[in-house]
Amino acid sequence: MDKLIINGGKKLSGDVTVSGSKNASLPIFISTILAPGCHEISNVPFLRDINTTIKVLEQLGARVDGKGNVVKIDTTDLNSFEATYDLVRTMRASVLVLGPLLARFGQARVSLPGGCAIGARPINLHLKGLAALGAEITLEHGYVEAKAKKLKGARIHFDLPTVGGTEQLLMAAATAKGETILENAAREPEIVDHADILNKMGAKIEGAGTDTIRIVGVDGLHPTSHTVMPDRIEAGTFMVAAAMTGGDIRIHNMRLDHLDALAFKLQDAGVEISNKDNIVRVKGPKKIKSVNIKTRPYPGFPTDMQAQFMALMCIAEGASVISENIFENRFMHVSELLRFGADITVEGNTATVKGVKKLSGAPVMATDLRASASLILAALAADSTSEVSRIYHLDRGYESIEKKLAGLGADIVRVKDESQ
């Protein structure tokens, strides 16, 4: 097991390039199940979750070949409609194979994903939607078993916007008979990217990126090639890194319009942000102002940036209030931020952060993917050495982040954690 050693206090400067989006890549990979043949996906990040998705596809009978950031997926000879517990338990997004397997084979058997560190994240909205399309669903021995000779279009209203549920039904409805309308659908850019590749395969999807998506089922889909969108959460993490260190960095391969809510809050905090020729420049202020945030579904403030923004508020002037409205257990990073000398109190889904003059280096432990990023940010701003352990969480969603930060002037190295 690895850990990061970080000597803080260095201003970050220079250029950094954002990798392809993890959260877009996973459903894009899974959508290849629907179209037998060889697909080529480019701008793919090297991540643990990507490797897990590849293992799921290979277990189903796909042939996967990855060279650099280009992955070829051949789904011609799929011979299984079951995704087992040993893989689904390591990555919740694996449950997305349920819809496309059902559409292709008329049946699917997929392990229930269970809970995770940041909350339960049940899949009831996935199952409710599939049932509306005509699937017969049973839950037995920890597995979802679904059957349908032919899925049929339906009007489906989500009780809450759900990214996974929207992705699930985009795939299931793409070859269903008739028209499907998804109401109160998730609006994230990753949904748009997912719809884009499905349309390239021959699907008829309109309205992705809005709360109402219309899908007209087609008889079949064909293989295609696609370039994955940039990872907006990685880009946002670099923006906060520049702000926290008083740095000046230029971020390449990012879409600032995907991060409007974060950019506005950073500007309120005194951060300078400019966009020229698709290169976003971020300059940290001498003094950070306190700002309140409330996480919301897109286009609101992203829950995946809450931990990183909290780290920034730890060194802001005054007090800020952070409300987490997406996941019920996403303040696990607070106890670790306190080890740096932060002043944070939590009541329910609200954290009050009183800024301190400086953070002090400390040994800390990551509890989930975005929490690990917040600890790295705090360590970069701290006045001495920090050790961040359990960074296998980090490797799920950030491609070589320590190398990218080192390229910006950070004093950061990855070493083996002999204590584990």
Side-chain angles (χ1 to χ4, degrees), residues 220-239:
L221 301 178
H222 55 77
T224 190
S225 59
H226 185 76
T227 300
V228 177
M229 62 173 274
D231 195 305
R232 61 192 175 98
I233 304 304
E234 182 189 354
T237 301
F238 285 126
M239 294 175 78

Side-chain angles (χ1 to χ4, degrees), residues 199-267:
N199 283 335
K200 287 180 182 178
M201 293 178 188
K204 295 182 178 179
I205 301 170
E206 297 178 352
T210 74
D211 61 3
T212 302
I213 301 177
R214 178 173 176 264
I215 307 129
V216 178
V218 298
D219 291 335
L221 301 178
H222 55 77
T224 190
S225 59
H226 185 76
T227 300
V228 177
M229 62 173 274
D231 195 305
R232 61 192 175 98
I233 304 304
E234 182 189 354
T237 301
F238 285 126
M239 294 175 78
V240 175
M244 286 198 73
T245 63
D248 183 355
I249 71 174
R250 291 173 298 275
I251 307 174
H252 300 251
N253 190 37
M254 74 166 283
R255 290 276 302 274
L256 187 58
D257 59 318
H258 288 171
L259 286 164
D260 280 345
L262 172 64
F264 291 146
K265 290 296 184 179
L266 287 174
Q267 288 172 326

Side-chain angles (χ1 to χ4, degrees), residues 161-175:
T162 162
V163 173
T166 301
E167 293 166 341
Q168 186 82 265
L169 295 181
L170 279 178
M171 292 184 285
T175 57

Side-chain angles (χ1 to χ4, degrees), residues 25 29 228 395:
S25 295
F29 273 38
V228 177
D395 295 335

Side-chain angles (χ1 to χ4, degrees), residues 372-394:
S372 60
S374 74
L375 301 182
I376 291 173
L377 293 172
L380 290 172
D383 63 1
S384 54
T385 302
S386 300
E387 295 185 7
V388 183
S389 59
R390 291 195 179 180
I391 58 170
Y392 56 84
H393 292 291
L394 189 76

Side-chain angles (χ1 to χ4, degrees), residues 1-4 48 365-366 372 376 388-396 402 413-415:
M1 200 174 294
D2 295 346
K3 64 180 177 181
L4 294 176
R48 283 183 61 198
M365 182 174 62
S372 60
I376 291 173
V388 183
S389 59
R390 291 195 179 180
I391 58 170
Y392 56 84
H393 292 291
L394 189 76
D395 295 335
R396 286 188 47 232
E402 73 277 7
V413 293
R414 178 187 290 249
V415 299

